Amino acid sequence: MEKILVTGGAGQLGSELILALRLKYGTENVILSDIKESNNDPNFMMLDILNKVRLREIVEDHGITQIYHLAAILSASGEWDPKKTWNVNMNGLISVLNLAKDGLIKKIFFPSTIAIHGQYTPKQNTPQFTDFSPSTVYGISKISGELWCNYYHNRYGVDVRSVRYPGIISWKTKPHGGTTDYAVEIFYDAIEKGSYECFLSAETKLPMMYIDDAIRATLELMENPAENIKIRTSYNLAAVSFTPAEIAKKIQERLPKFSIQYKPDFRQEIANSWSQSIDDSLARTDWGWNHNFDLDDITDTMISNLKIKLQDNV
Ligand code: AKB
Protein backbone atom coordinates (compact mmCIF):
# COMPACT_ATOMS: atom_id res chain seq x y z
CA MET A 1 0.00 0.00 0.00
CA GLU A 2 1.33 3.42 -0.96
CA LYS A 3 1.55 6.14 1.70
CA ILE A 4 1.91 9.58 0.18
CA LEU A 5 3.16 12.89 1.53
CA VAL A 6 2.46 16.09 -0.41
CA THR A 7 4.69 18.99 0.67
CA GLY A 8 3.45 22.54 0.07
CA GLY A 9 0.10 20.89 -0.56
CA ALA A 10 -2.22 23.77 0.34
CA GLY A 11 -1.45 25.82 -2.79
CA GLN A 12 -3.11 26.02 -6.21
CA LEU A 13 -1.76 22.72 -7.52
CA GLY A 14 -1.54 20.81 -4.24
CA SER A 15 -5.09 21.41 -3.11
CA GLU A 16 -6.43 19.65 -6.23
CA LEU A 17 -3.67 17.05 -6.50
CA ILE A 18 -4.53 15.98 -2.94
CA LEU A 19 -8.14 15.33 -3.98
CA ALA A 20 -7.05 13.20 -6.95
CA LEU A 21 -4.52 11.24 -4.89
CA ARG A 22 -7.02 10.62 -2.09
CA LEU A 23 -9.59 9.36 -4.58
CA LYS A 24 -7.04 6.81 -5.72
CA TYR A 25 -5.22 5.88 -2.51
CA GLY A 26 -7.70 6.84 0.25
CA THR A 27 -7.67 9.91 2.51
CA GLU A 28 -5.89 8.04 5.30
CA ASN A 29 -2.97 7.27 2.95
CA VAL A 30 -2.37 10.80 1.62
CA ILE A 31 -0.98 13.41 4.02
CA LEU A 32 -1.26 17.08 3.14
CA SER A 33 1.59 19.11 4.61
CA ASP A 34 2.19 22.82 4.42
CA ILE A 35 3.78 25.66 6.34
CA LYS A 36 0.32 27.18 6.86
CA GLU A 37 -2.22 25.56 9.17
CA SER A 38 -5.13 23.89 7.37
CA ASN A 39 -7.73 23.17 10.03
CA ASN A 40 -10.37 21.71 7.77
CA ASP A 41 -8.22 19.01 6.22
CA PRO A 42 -8.82 15.46 7.46
CA ASN A 43 -5.14 14.37 7.15
CA PHE A 44 -2.95 17.45 7.63
CA MET A 45 0.51 17.96 9.10
CA MET A 46 2.30 21.22 9.61
CA LEU A 47 5.74 21.11 7.96
CA ASP A 48 8.32 23.74 7.16
CA ILE A 49 10.28 22.05 4.38
CA LEU A 50 13.53 23.47 5.80
CA ASN A 51 12.99 21.40 8.96
CA LYS A 52 14.63 18.17 7.75
CA VAL A 53 14.38 16.47 11.13
CA ARG A 54 10.60 16.90 11.17
CA LEU A 55 10.38 15.82 7.51
CA ARG A 56 12.29 12.59 8.24
CA GLU A 57 10.18 12.01 11.36
CA ILE A 58 6.92 12.25 9.38
CA VAL A 59 8.27 9.88 6.72
CA GLU A 60 9.43 7.32 9.28
CA ASP A 61 6.43 7.57 11.62
CA HIS A 62 3.89 7.19 8.82
CA GLY A 63 5.75 4.77 6.55
CA ILE A 64 5.69 7.23 3.64
CA THR A 65 6.54 5.58 0.29
CA GLN A 66 6.13 8.54 -2.12
CA ILE A 67 6.59 12.30 -1.86
CA TYR A 68 5.02 14.86 -4.17
CA HIS A 69 7.35 17.72 -3.37
CA LEU A 70 5.43 20.91 -4.21
CA ALA A 71 6.81 23.26 -1.52
CA ALA A 72 8.45 26.19 -3.35
CA ILE A 73 8.46 29.97 -3.71
CA LEU A 74 7.35 31.04 -7.21
CA SER A 75 8.76 33.38 -9.87
CA ALA A 76 7.39 36.78 -8.84
CA SER A 77 7.42 36.48 -5.04
CA GLY A 78 10.81 34.75 -5.23
CA GLU A 79 12.38 38.00 -6.45
CA TRP A 80 11.60 39.76 -3.15
CA ASP A 81 13.95 37.49 -1.21
CA PRO A 82 16.31 35.59 -3.55
CA LYS A 83 18.34 34.00 -0.76
CA LYS A 84 15.29 32.60 1.00
CA THR A 85 13.85 31.40 -2.32
CA TRP A 86 17.05 29.54 -3.13
CA ASN A 87 17.16 28.05 0.38
CA VAL A 88 13.54 26.83 0.36
CA ASN A 89 13.51 25.60 -3.24
CA MET A 90 16.92 23.95 -3.25
CA ASN A 91 17.46 22.61 0.24
CA GLY A 92 13.88 21.38 0.45
CA LEU A 93 14.42 19.27 -2.65
CA ILE A 94 17.80 17.92 -1.51
CA SER A 95 16.26 16.79 1.81
CA VAL A 96 13.54 14.91 -0.09
CA LEU A 97 16.04 13.35 -2.52
CA ASN A 98 18.17 12.18 0.43
CA LEU A 99 15.20 10.33 1.92
CA ALA A 100 15.02 8.27 -1.29
CA LYS A 101 18.81 7.82 -1.42
CA ASP A 102 18.65 6.45 2.16
CA GLY A 103 15.97 3.96 1.10
CA LEU A 104 13.13 5.51 3.15
CA ILE A 105 10.89 6.40 0.18
CA LYS A 106 10.48 4.80 -3.28
CA LYS A 107 9.28 7.58 -5.56
CA ILE A 108 9.39 11.38 -5.83
CA PHE A 109 7.50 13.90 -7.93
CA PHE A 110 9.29 17.22 -8.48
CA PRO A 111 7.47 20.04 -10.34
CA SER A 112 9.62 22.04 -12.73
CA THR A 113 8.36 24.92 -14.83
CA ILE A 114 8.61 27.10 -17.93
CA ALA A 115 10.42 29.54 -15.60
CA ILE A 116 13.63 27.68 -16.47
CA HIS A 117 13.46 29.49 -19.85
CA GLY A 118 15.69 32.50 -20.36
CA GLN A 119 17.03 35.01 -22.83
CA TYR A 120 18.57 32.42 -25.19
CA THR A 121 15.81 29.80 -25.02
CA PRO A 122 14.04 29.47 -28.41
CA LYS A 123 10.69 31.22 -27.94
CA GLN A 124 8.59 29.09 -30.30
CA ASN A 125 8.14 25.35 -29.88
CA THR A 126 10.85 25.26 -27.22
CA PRO A 127 12.68 21.93 -27.56
CA GLN A 128 13.19 19.51 -24.67
CA PHE A 129 16.95 20.03 -24.78
CA THR A 130 18.12 23.60 -25.38
CA ASP A 131 19.63 26.62 -23.64
CA PHE A 132 18.07 27.22 -20.22
CA SER A 133 19.54 30.31 -18.55
CA PRO A 134 16.68 31.61 -16.40
CA SER A 135 16.56 35.17 -15.13
CA THR A 136 14.68 34.59 -11.83
CA VAL A 137 15.95 32.84 -8.70
CA TYR A 138 12.88 30.56 -8.93
CA GLY A 139 13.96 29.56 -12.46
CA ILE A 140 17.57 29.06 -11.35
CA SER A 141 16.43 26.85 -8.46
CA LYS A 142 14.19 24.78 -10.73
CA ILE A 143 16.79 24.13 -13.44
CA SER A 144 19.30 23.25 -10.71
CA GLY A 145 16.65 21.03 -9.11
CA GLU A 146 16.16 19.20 -12.41
CA LEU A 147 19.89 18.51 -12.59
CA TRP A 148 19.96 17.26 -9.01
CA CYS A 149 17.04 14.91 -9.77
CA ASN A 150 18.92 13.53 -12.76
CA TYR A 151 22.07 13.15 -10.65
CA TYR A 152 20.28 11.26 -7.84
CA HIS A 153 18.63 9.02 -10.44
CA ASN A 154 21.92 8.19 -12.20
CA ARG A 155 24.12 7.95 -9.12
CA TYR A 156 21.78 6.42 -6.53
CA GLY A 157 18.94 4.94 -8.63
CA VAL A 158 16.34 7.31 -7.15
CA ASP A 159 12.98 7.08 -8.98
CA VAL A 160 12.31 10.80 -9.31
CA ARG A 161 9.98 12.12 -12.03
CA SER A 162 9.20 15.64 -13.16
CA VAL A 163 7.32 17.82 -15.63
CA ARG A 164 7.87 21.46 -16.59
CA TYR A 165 4.43 22.95 -15.91
CA PRO A 166 3.24 25.95 -17.89
CA GLY A 167 0.97 28.49 -16.13
CA ILE A 168 -1.88 26.62 -14.44
CA ILE A 169 -5.46 27.87 -14.57
CA SER A 170 -7.91 26.77 -11.87
CA TRP A 171 -10.88 28.07 -9.90
CA LYS A 172 -10.77 26.16 -6.58
CA THR A 173 -7.59 27.66 -5.05
CA LYS A 174 -5.99 30.91 -6.23
CA PRO A 175 -2.31 30.88 -7.21
CA HIS A 176 0.11 33.15 -5.29
CA GLY A 177 3.33 34.80 -6.32
CA GLY A 178 3.54 33.65 -9.95
CA THR A 179 3.87 35.53 -13.24
CA THR A 180 1.12 33.50 -14.91
CA ASP A 181 -1.35 34.31 -12.08
CA TYR A 182 -3.03 36.94 -14.28
CA ALA A 183 -4.76 34.14 -16.23
CA VAL A 184 -6.68 33.18 -13.07
CA GLU A 185 -7.16 36.69 -11.61
CA ILE A 186 -8.77 37.84 -14.87
CA PHE A 187 -11.69 35.43 -14.35
CA TYR A 188 -12.26 36.47 -10.72
CA ASP A 189 -12.27 40.16 -11.63
CA ALA A 190 -14.41 39.61 -14.74
CA ILE A 191 -17.11 38.07 -12.56
CA GLU A 192 -16.73 40.19 -9.43
CA LYS A 193 -15.93 43.61 -10.95
CA GLY A 194 -16.61 43.38 -14.69
CA SER A 195 -13.10 44.65 -15.48
CA TYR A 196 -9.46 43.68 -14.97
CA GLU A 197 -6.18 45.57 -14.78
CA CYS A 198 -3.59 43.22 -16.23
CA PHE A 199 0.03 43.30 -15.01
CA LEU A 200 1.26 41.96 -18.38
CA SER A 201 0.93 43.67 -21.76
CA ALA A 202 -1.82 42.69 -24.22
CA GLU A 203 0.46 40.68 -26.53
CA THR A 204 2.43 38.67 -23.94
CA LYS A 205 1.97 35.11 -25.13
CA LEU A 206 2.63 32.33 -22.58
CA PRO A 207 2.06 28.57 -22.40
CA MET A 208 -0.85 27.63 -20.08
CA MET A 209 -2.80 24.56 -18.97
CA TYR A 210 -6.08 23.82 -17.20
CA ILE A 211 -5.65 22.24 -13.76
CA ASP A 212 -7.43 18.98 -14.67
CA ASP A 213 -4.88 18.41 -17.44
CA ALA A 214 -2.00 19.27 -15.07
CA ILE A 215 -3.23 16.80 -12.42
CA ARG A 216 -3.82 14.05 -14.97
CA ALA A 217 -0.33 14.58 -16.45
CA THR A 218 1.18 14.29 -12.97
CA LEU A 219 -0.63 11.07 -12.11
CA GLU A 220 0.03 9.53 -15.54
CA LEU A 221 3.73 10.33 -15.27
CA MET A 222 3.92 8.85 -11.77
CA GLU A 223 1.96 5.71 -12.66
CA ASN A 224 3.81 4.81 -15.86
CA PRO A 225 6.27 1.91 -15.67
CA ALA A 226 9.77 3.19 -14.83
CA GLU A 227 11.17 2.02 -18.19
CA ASN A 228 8.90 4.52 -20.01
CA ILE A 229 10.38 7.45 -18.09
CA LYS A 230 13.44 8.20 -20.16
CA ILE A 231 14.02 11.78 -19.03
CA ARG A 232 15.01 12.25 -15.40
CA THR A 233 15.60 15.97 -15.48
CA SER A 234 12.04 17.05 -16.38
CA TYR A 235 9.65 16.64 -19.32
CA ASN A 236 8.43 19.57 -21.41
CA LEU A 237 4.64 19.68 -21.03
CA ALA A 238 2.19 21.78 -23.05
CA ALA A 239 -1.49 22.42 -23.70
CA VAL A 240 -2.44 25.90 -24.99
CA SER A 241 -0.72 29.26 -25.51
CA PHE A 242 -2.45 32.65 -25.50
CA THR A 243 -2.03 36.36 -24.78
CA PRO A 244 -3.99 38.50 -22.27
CA ALA A 245 -5.80 40.08 -25.25
CA GLU A 246 -6.85 36.66 -26.54
CA ILE A 247 -8.20 35.43 -23.21
CA ALA A 248 -9.95 38.79 -22.66
CA LYS A 249 -11.70 38.34 -26.02
CA LYS A 250 -12.89 34.86 -25.01
CA ILE A 251 -14.28 36.29 -21.77
CA GLN A 252 -15.98 39.17 -23.64
CA GLU A 253 -17.71 36.63 -25.92
CA ARG A 254 -19.34 35.22 -22.75
CA LEU A 255 -19.53 38.40 -20.60
CA PRO A 256 -19.95 41.22 -23.17
CA LYS A 257 -19.56 44.07 -20.63
CA PHE A 258 -16.11 42.88 -19.51
CA SER A 259 -13.27 45.35 -20.10
CA ILE A 260 -9.50 45.09 -19.64
CA GLN A 261 -6.73 47.64 -19.07
CA TYR A 262 -3.02 46.94 -19.24
CA LYS A 263 -0.53 48.15 -16.65
CA PRO A 264 2.62 46.03 -16.95
CA ASP A 265 4.82 45.85 -13.84
CA PHE A 266 8.07 44.02 -12.96
CA ARG A 267 6.46 40.71 -13.94
CA GLN A 268 6.49 41.80 -17.61
CA GLU A 269 10.25 41.32 -17.81
CA ILE A 270 9.95 37.84 -16.30
CA ALA A 271 7.23 36.89 -18.79
CA ASN A 272 9.33 38.25 -21.69
CA SER A 273 12.10 35.83 -20.78
CA TRP A 274 9.81 32.79 -21.09
CA SER A 275 8.86 30.95 -24.26
CA GLN A 276 5.56 31.28 -26.06
CA SER A 277 5.03 27.65 -27.02
CA ILE A 278 6.54 24.29 -26.10
CA ASP A 279 7.44 21.12 -27.95
CA ASP A 280 6.26 18.37 -25.59
CA SER A 281 6.47 15.52 -28.12
CA LEU A 282 8.75 13.42 -25.89
CA ALA A 283 6.14 13.37 -23.08
CA ARG A 284 3.56 12.40 -25.69
CA THR A 285 5.77 9.58 -27.07
CA ASP A 286 7.31 8.25 -23.84
CA TRP A 287 4.30 8.11 -21.54
CA GLY A 288 1.29 8.97 -23.73
CA TRP A 289 0.64 12.56 -22.62
CA ASN A 290 -2.26 14.38 -24.33
CA HIS A 291 -4.11 17.52 -23.19
CA ASN A 292 -7.91 17.84 -23.20
CA PHE A 293 -8.72 21.50 -22.47
CA ASP A 294 -8.36 24.22 -25.13
CA LEU A 295 -8.91 27.95 -24.46
CA ASP A 296 -12.68 27.77 -25.09
CA ASP A 297 -13.06 24.84 -22.68
CA ILE A 298 -10.98 26.65 -20.05
CA THR A 299 -13.02 29.85 -20.40
CA ASP A 300 -16.35 28.01 -20.14
CA THR A 301 -15.26 25.95 -17.14
CA MET A 302 -13.72 28.88 -15.26
CA ILE A 303 -16.72 31.17 -15.77
CA SER A 304 -19.38 28.60 -14.89
CA ASN A 305 -17.59 27.38 -11.75
CA LEU A 306 -16.56 30.82 -10.51
CA LYS A 307 -20.10 32.16 -10.99
CA ILE A 308 -21.29 29.54 -8.51
CA LYS A 309 -18.32 29.94 -6.15
CA LEU A 310 -18.54 33.74 -6.07
CA GLN A 311 -22.30 34.09 -6.23
CA ASP A 312 -22.55 35.98 -2.96
CA ASN A 313 -20.19 38.66 -4.31
CA VAL A 314 -21.72 39.08 -7.77
C1 AKB B 1 4.89 31.20 -12.06
O1 AKB B 1 4.31 32.02 -12.78
O2 AKB B 1 5.86 31.48 -11.34
C2 AKB B 1 4.42 29.76 -12.07
C3 AKB B 1 5.23 28.96 -13.04
C4 AKB B 1 5.08 29.18 -14.49
O3 AKB B 1 5.98 28.14 -12.62
N1 AKB B 1 3.04 29.69 -12.40
Side-chain angles (χ1 to χ4, degrees):
M1 177 47 87
E2 299 296 339
K3 278 269 192 174
I4 297 175
L5 174 68
V6 181
T7 70
Q12 183 197 21
L13 181 64
S15 57
E16 298 206 35
L17 182 61
I18 282 279
L19 300 175
L21 287 169
R22 285 183 176 163
L23 213 57
K24 199 168 160 48
Y25 297 101
T27 302
E28 66 287 6
N29 295 316
V30 182
I31 298 174
L32 161 62
S33 72
D34 206 287
I35 197 163
K36 305 174 284 215
E37 186 74 69
S38 177
N39 292 327
N40 306 331
D41 191 85
N43 197 358
F44 175 79
M45 267 169 215
M46 194 100 132
L47 173 66
D48 175 348
I49 198 59
L50 293 176
N51 187 343
K52 12 184 202 194
V53 175
R54 176 79 183 124
L55 171 65
R56 194 166 274 254
E57 211 170 70
I58 293 178
V59 166
E60 284 176 342
D61 290 355
H62 297 271
I64 299 296
T65 58
Q66 300 188 19
I67 297 185
Y68 286 68
H69 176 52
L70 308 187
I73 302 177
L74 299 191
S75 60
S77 48
E79 293 306 289
W80 297 115
D81 193 342
K83 214 167 141 194
K84 179 175 171 200
T85 304
W86 175 257
N87 193 16
V88 169
N89 293 6
M90 212 65 268
N91 292 324
L93 172 64
I94 298 287
S95 302
V96 171
L97 287 169
N98 280 335
L99 292 170
K101 172 178 166 257
D102 296 347
L104 276 101
I105 55 170
K106 290 188 305 195
K107 226 190 236 185
I108 298 169
F109 175 72
F110 169 66
S112 188
T113 161
I114 55 167
I116 62 164
H117 301 163
Q119 196 184 354
Y120 305 109
T121 309
K123 292 280 176 281
Q124 306 301 333
N125 241 0
T126 303
Q128 173 70 39
F129 304 104
T130 184
D131 185 288
F132 296 118
S133 311
S135 61
T136 61
V137 67
Y138 170 64
I140 297 171
S141 70
K142 287 293 181 178
I143 191 68
S144 311
E146 287 191 12
L147 295 172
W148 275 115
C149 289
N150 197 46
Y151 181 84
Y152 270 70
H153 176 73
N154 291 335
R155 176 104 199 248
Y156 308 117
V158 169
D159 188 357
V160 52
R161 306 175 182 202
S162 174
V163 289
R164 295 169 177 159
Y165 290 121
I168 294 174
I169 302 175
S170 69
W171 59 270
K172 285 189 188 145
T173 308
K174 274 187 179 175
H176 285 290
T179 303
T180 57
D181 293 8
Y182 93 85
V184 175
E185 286 175 7
I186 193 170
F187 286 105
Y188 276 82
D189 281 10
I191 291 167
E192 289 183 308
K193 302 183 193 155
S195 69
Y196 178 61
E197 187 176 283
C198 186
F199 58 75
L200 298 182
S201 68
E203 301 311 326
T204 311
K205 191 174 201 155
L206 289 172
M208 300 277 183
M209 177 177 286
Y210 188 59
I211 185 91
D212 289 16
D213 277 337
I215 302 288
R216 193 170 44 77
T218 310
L219 296 184
E220 285 175 6
L221 172 79
M222 290 298 275
E223 283 158 11
N224 251 260
E227 62 268 23
N228 292 350
I229 311 304
K230 305 204 169 70
I231 293 173
R232 295 294 183 152
T233 48
S234 187
Y235 277 95
N236 272 4
L237 191 73
V240 290
S241 287
F242 55 81
T243 64
E246 284 164 347
I247 193 169
K249 185 163 171 284
K250 293 290 181 191
I251 294 174
Q252 276 154 351
E253 283 164 17
R254 289 146 177 98
L255 304 170
K257 291 194 184 130
F258 173 67
S259 66
I260 184 162
Q261 299 79 43
Y262 299 96
K263 205 172 166 203
D265 64 16
F266 73 101
R267 290 169 279 194
Q268 183 66 49
E269 209 179 309
I270 299 177
N272 289 347
S273 72
W274 295 351
S275 303
Q276 300 187 349
S277 61
I278 313 278
D279 173 4
D280 64 350
S281 50
L282 288 175
R284 289 175 193 259
T285 314
D286 288 0
W287 45 278
W289 161 243
N290 210 349
H291 72 279
N292 284 338
F293 284 76
D294 65 15
L295 184 52
D296 279 304
D297 301 324
I298 295 174
T299 313
D300 285 335
T301 312
M302 287 296 287
I303 291 178
S304 57
N305 283 297
L306 280 179
K307 269 189 174 163
I308 298 166
K309 180 178 170 186
L310 304 172
Q311 72 198 10
D312 290 343
N313 310 351
V314 183

